[in-house]
Amino acid sequence: MEDVLQRLAEVSIRQQQIAEHLATRLGRTEDELAAVRAAAAQRVPLPEPRAQATRLLPKMTADDDVEAFLQVFENTAHREGWLEDEWARALAPLLTGEAQRAYFSLPLTSADSYVEVKREILARLGLSPVSAAQQFHEWEYKPRVPARAQAAELSRLAQHWLLAGNPTPTQVAERVVVNRLLRALPRAHRQAVGMRDPRDVRELVEAIELADAVHPSGAGDRLCYFEDGKGFSYTAEAEYSTLMVESSGSVICCLC
């Protein structure tokens, strides 16, 4: 019996020692946490991206390359660790001219998105993917300009046209096919299809089929003649409008 009581007493003492040890550790932990909180409260808060942007970057000028300016801004934002949700607000004070008007023309929900702001600015300045595609196909080599600079410009146009929006390789291929097929269409079809703004091959084919129903095949350019033998041509669009010719001679109808 005495052995049992002694054993119980030892267990009780041990439990008391453990409780005292835990209480001591808890007190130390609370002291350390309080010290960390005090140190954090004394730290100088980091300036917001909007204030940093005006300090680190100059305002856009009329002579600036807009795409290069936006690229410098993005590089700075990444380096400084700004949250992307703050990029649009940080960029706004740096904009001037048409870029500034593009920003303020957006609704509030879009003005908070850097992607939307950038897209609108580039579109306003004729640097949309559609415009880049047009410039890419109209590009010509200039003998007096360094080849390296021309290659860089052509590469920039191709990337802006084909890589806008981070497309997949399949989507890039579709952009090339859509553009090439659209350019090969007859004028009447090209205008009708272009108004539907097809974004992939399926949409393009549907738009062409609809244009076929409106503009019958073979209704391309035709040649008409005055009675004096002088000729002039008209396109398929003339079938949908009144043909007016200012001439003393009469016209032989060629619509039939």
Side-chain angles (χ1 to χ4, degrees):
M1 185 65 178
E2 292 179 357
D3 293 338
V4 173
L5 293 175
Q6 184 177 0
R7 185 63 177 170
L8 290 174
E10 291 175 354
V11 170
S12 178
I13 294 172
R14 181 60 178 167
Q15 289 178 341
Q16 185 177 359
Q17 291 175 343
I18 293 174
E20 291 175 352
H21 179 69
L22 291 175
T24 302
R25 289 189 59 183
L26 180 60
R28 290 177 181 174
T29 301
E30 290 178 347
D31 292 340
E32 292 173 355
L33 181 59
V36 170
R37 288 174 176 171
Q42 294 175 357
R43 290 179 183 173
V44 178
L46 294 175
E48 64 170 357
R50 189 183 182 95
Q52 279 189 302
T54 55
R55 179 175 59 84
L56 297 174
L57 297 167
K59 272 183 170 288
M60 180 186 294
T61 68
D63 297 327
D64 282 330
D65 182 302
V66 177
E67 287 185 299
F69 184 90
L70 294 177
Q71 186 61 56
V72 170
F73 173 84
E74 292 171 13
N75 293 343
T76 303
H78 283 299
R79 185 183 67 245
E80 298 297 324
W82 301 340
L83 295 177
E84 192 165 347
D85 292 343
E86 298 288 337
W87 286 16
R89 292 183 63 253
L91 176 66
L94 306 177
L95 301 177
T96 59
E98 192 63 33
Q100 186 182 66
R101 286 189 286 273
Y103 173 81
F104 285 110
S105 70
L106 290 170
L108 292 178
T109 53
S110 298
D112 287 336
S113 169
Y114 177 77
V115 173
E116 294 292 332
V117 170
K118 180 178 180 180
R119 181 184 295 116
E120 182 65 18
I121 289 174
L122 294 178
R124 283 290 192 96
L125 298 175
L127 297 173
S128 65
V130 174
S131 176
Q134 181 72 19
Q135 294 178 51
F136 179 86
H137 288 286
E138 293 177 352
W139 181 88
E140 294 181 354
Y141 182 77
K142 303 176 182 63
R144 296 187 178 183
V145 178
R148 187 180 299 275
Q150 296 194 70
E153 173 66 12
L154 190 60
S155 297
R156 182 186 67 83
L157 290 174
Q159 291 176 16
H160 193 52
W161 164 34
L162 297 173
L163 302 182
N166 298 319
T168 64
T170 300
Q171 290 172 326
V172 171
E174 278 201 315
R175 288 183 182 182
V176 175
V177 172
V178 168
N179 184 272
R180 182 66 187 90
L181 184 53
L182 188 59
R183 289 175 177 276
L185 292 174
R187 181 181 176 186
H189 279 58
R190 186 166 62 250
Q191 291 177 342
V193 172
M195 292 178 63
R196 298 180 65 85
D197 189 24
R199 300 185 180 183
D200 54 41
V201 174
R202 180 185 60 80
E203 292 183 2
L204 177 62
V205 171
E206 291 176 354
I208 293 175
E209 291 173 345
L210 182 60
D212 282 338
V214 177
H215 301 278
S217 60
D221 293 348
R222 300 180 185 176
L223 189 63
C224 296
Y225 294 92
F226 294 109
E227 288 185 344
D228 59 7
K230 295 181 180 179
F232 68 95
S233 63
Y234 82 103
T235 58
E237 289 90 330
E239 296 183 8
Y240 305 96
S241 61
T242 303
L243 184 61
M244 302 293 293
V245 180
E246 296 182 1
S247 173
S248 57
S250 59
V251 179
I252 299 176
C253 178
C254 58
L255 299 181
C256 305

XYZ file of all heavy atoms in Angstrom, residues 168-202:
282
model
N -1.551 29.908 -77.638
C -0.890 28.613 -77.780
C -0.298 28.523 -79.188
O -0.673 29.298 -80.078
C -1.892 27.473 -77.575
O -2.888 27.535 -78.621
C -2.581 27.592 -76.221
N 0.619 27.574 -79.424
C 1.154 27.408 -80.791
C 0.061 27.192 -81.834
O 0.157 27.693 -82.957
C 2.060 26.180 -80.654
C 2.512 26.211 -79.231
C 1.323 26.714 -78.456
N -0.982 26.455 -81.469
C -2.088 26.228 -82.407
C -2.790 27.535 -82.748
O -3.142 27.791 -83.908
C -3.101 25.242 -81.804
O -2.442 23.999 -81.533
C -4.261 24.997 -82.757
N -2.992 28.387 -81.753
C -3.652 29.670 -81.991
C -2.786 30.594 -82.843
O -3.307 31.358 -83.661
C -3.990 30.334 -80.657
C -5.092 29.626 -79.888
C -5.271 30.177 -78.487
O -4.310 30.588 -77.833
N -6.505 30.195 -78.015
N -1.468 30.531 -82.661
C -0.565 31.328 -83.494
C -0.694 30.904 -84.955
O -0.788 31.739 -85.862
C 0.893 31.178 -83.019
C 1.850 31.831 -84.020
C 1.076 31.811 -81.651
N -0.700 29.583 -85.182
C -0.847 29.074 -86.549
C -2.179 29.512 -87.151
O -2.254 29.879 -88.331
C -0.734 27.549 -86.551
N -3.233 29.503 -86.341
C -4.545 29.922 -86.836
C -4.553 31.395 -87.215
O -5.196 31.793 -88.188
C -5.619 29.646 -85.784
C -6.108 28.212 -85.777
C -7.462 28.075 -85.120
O -7.650 28.680 -84.050
O -8.328 27.378 -85.676
N -3.843 32.219 -86.454
C -3.784 33.642 -86.790
C -3.154 33.854 -88.163
O -3.603 34.696 -88.940
C -2.982 34.397 -85.728
C -3.702 34.536 -84.402
C -2.908 35.360 -83.410
N -3.600 35.433 -82.130
C -3.169 36.120 -81.078
N -2.033 36.800 -81.160
N -3.856 36.138 -79.952
N -2.115 33.081 -88.458
C -1.460 33.197 -89.759
C -2.409 32.756 -90.870
O -2.532 33.417 -91.908
C -0.168 32.355 -89.786
C 0.456 32.385 -91.179
C 0.830 32.876 -88.754
N -3.105 31.637 -90.652
C -4.028 31.115 -91.662
C -5.177 32.092 -91.893
O -5.545 32.383 -93.041
C -4.569 29.737 -91.226
C -5.675 29.270 -92.172
C -3.442 28.716 -91.193
N -5.760 32.601 -90.811
C -6.878 33.542 -90.927
C -6.451 34.785 -91.701
O -7.149 35.246 -92.609
C -7.402 33.927 -89.526
C -8.356 35.115 -89.620
C -8.110 32.747 -88.880
N -5.291 35.326 -91.357
C -4.822 36.537 -92.020
C -4.560 36.304 -93.498
O -4.944 37.110 -94.349
C -3.559 37.037 -91.327
C -3.064 38.354 -91.889
O -2.295 38.378 -92.843
N -3.502 39.454 -91.298
N -3.917 35.173 -93.809
C -3.578 34.890 -95.214
C -4.833 34.656 -96.049
O -4.954 35.157 -97.170
C -2.670 33.654 -95.289
C -2.227 33.319 -96.711
C -1.328 34.410 -97.259
N -1.009 34.203 -98.670
C -1.722 34.680 -99.669
N -2.835 35.389 -99.429
N -1.357 34.474 -100.919
N -5.771 33.895 -95.511
C -6.999 33.612 -96.248
C -7.842 34.871 -96.415
O -8.430 35.108 -97.477
C -7.797 32.531 -95.521
C -9.083 32.030 -96.198
C -8.797 31.598 -97.630
C -9.680 30.884 -95.409
N -7.879 35.693 -95.379
C -8.652 36.930 -95.453
C -8.100 37.855 -96.532
O -8.851 38.494 -97.273
C -8.631 37.629 -94.091
C -9.539 38.847 -93.910
C -10.991 38.473 -94.155
C -9.369 39.435 -92.526
N -6.786 37.910 -96.657
C -6.164 38.776 -97.657
C -6.359 38.251 -99.077
O -6.273 39.014 -100.037
C -4.669 38.925 -97.360
C -4.380 39.764 -96.137
C -2.892 39.797 -95.798
N -2.670 40.666 -94.658
C -2.537 41.984 -94.736
N -2.581 42.583 -95.914
N -2.357 42.716 -93.656
N -6.601 36.948 -99.205
C -6.765 36.357 -100.533
C -8.200 36.458 -101.052
O -8.449 36.180 -102.226
C -6.333 34.890 -100.495
N -9.136 36.865 -100.192
C -10.537 36.936 -100.610
C -10.771 38.081 -101.590
O -10.054 39.085 -101.566
C -11.436 37.144 -99.381
C -11.527 35.994 -98.381
C -12.346 36.429 -97.169
C -12.142 34.761 -99.022
N -11.784 37.956 -102.449
C -12.176 39.094 -103.293
C -12.573 40.279 -102.421
O -12.938 40.113 -101.254
C -13.385 38.547 -104.073
C -13.240 37.066 -104.016
C -12.590 36.752 -102.710
N -12.523 41.447 -102.994
C -12.730 42.663 -102.213
C -14.064 42.666 -101.467
O -14.118 42.979 -100.276
C -12.649 43.881 -103.133
C -12.839 45.205 -102.403
C -12.772 46.360 -103.366
N -13.039 47.621 -102.703
C -13.155 48.779 -103.332
N -13.025 48.819 -104.650
N -13.399 49.888 -102.669
N -15.140 42.315 -102.159
C -16.461 42.333 -101.523
C -16.516 41.356 -100.356
O -17.044 41.665 -99.287
C -17.539 41.996 -102.549
N -15.971 40.163 -100.551
C -15.939 39.168 -99.481
C -15.058 39.643 -98.326
O -15.394 39.466 -97.153
C -15.412 37.835 -100.016
C -16.441 37.020 -100.728
N -17.133 37.483 -101.812
C -16.900 35.759 -100.482
C -17.973 36.555 -102.233
N -17.856 35.492 -101.447
N -13.904 40.227 -98.667
C -12.967 40.659 -97.629
C -13.597 41.713 -96.724
O -13.424 41.689 -95.507
C -11.693 41.204 -98.277
C -10.603 41.544 -97.275
C -9.268 41.740 -97.955
N -9.281 42.838 -98.902
C -9.210 42.713 -100.212
N -9.141 41.507 -100.758
N -9.204 43.769 -101.008
N -14.348 42.630 -97.321
C -15.008 43.653 -96.518
C -16.091 43.052 -95.631
O -16.200 43.382 -94.452
C -15.598 44.729 -97.434
C -14.545 45.572 -98.132
C -15.153 46.581 -99.082
O -16.309 46.450 -99.476
N -14.377 47.586 -99.458
N -16.895 42.161 -96.203
C -17.983 41.552 -95.436
C -17.450 40.670 -94.314
O -17.937 40.707 -93.183
C -18.882 40.739 -96.368
N -16.429 39.871 -94.618
C -15.857 38.967 -93.617
C -15.105 39.754 -92.550
O -15.184 39.452 -91.360
C -14.923 37.942 -94.293
C -14.179 37.116 -93.251
C -15.727 37.028 -95.204
N -14.378 40.790 -92.968
C -13.611 41.584 -92.014
C -14.486 42.261 -90.975
O -14.082 42.438 -89.825
N -15.711 42.628 -91.355
C -16.620 43.266 -90.406
C -17.026 42.321 -89.286
O -17.390 42.761 -88.194
C -17.862 43.776 -91.143
C -17.592 44.937 -92.086
S -19.072 45.460 -92.976
C -20.092 46.017 -91.608
N -16.951 41.012 -89.520
C -17.309 40.032 -88.488
C -16.130 39.709 -87.572
O -16.290 39.022 -86.572
C -17.833 38.754 -89.142
C -19.102 38.971 -89.962
C -19.582 37.675 -90.580
N -19.999 36.719 -89.569
C -21.203 36.677 -89.029
N -22.125 37.550 -89.409
N -21.511 35.772 -88.119
N -14.935 40.203 -87.928
C -13.734 40.045 -87.103
C -13.524 38.596 -86.662
O -13.512 38.291 -85.467
C -13.819 40.951 -85.872
C -12.498 40.995 -85.102
O -11.449 40.735 -85.726
O -12.522 41.277 -83.888
N -13.356 37.660 -87.607
C -13.155 36.252 -87.227
C -11.837 36.061 -86.480
O -10.811 36.618 -86.874
C -13.143 35.524 -88.575
C -12.701 36.561 -89.555
C -13.270 37.856 -89.064
N -11.867 35.272 -85.416
C -10.679 35.075 -84.588
C -10.032 33.706 -84.774
O -8.943 33.474 -84.268
C -11.036 35.287 -83.117
C -11.560 36.686 -82.839
C -11.790 36.918 -81.373
N -12.289 38.265 -81.121
C -12.526 38.760 -79.908
N -12.313 38.014 -78.841
N -12.978 39.991 -79.770
N -10.713 32.804 -85.442
C -10.116 31.507 -85.724
C -10.648 31.012 -87.062
O -11.495 31.655 -87.691
C -10.397 30.496 -84.599
C -11.884 30.366 -84.286
O -12.699 30.357 -85.240
O -12.240 30.273 -83.098
N -10.132 29.867 -87.496
C -10.488 29.352 -88.816
C -11.977 29.036 -88.903
O -12.619 29.294 -89.926
C -9.642 28.102 -89.137
C -10.107 27.470 -90.444
C -8.164 28.459 -89.225
N -12.553 28.501 -87.838
C -13.976 28.163 -87.863
C -14.829 29.408 -88.076
O -15.729 29.418 -88.928
C -14.375 27.476 -86.552
C -15.853 27.079 -86.490
C -16.203 26.508 -85.124
N -15.966 27.475 -84.069
C -16.803 28.470 -83.772
N -17.930 28.626 -84.456
N -16.520 29.306 -82.799
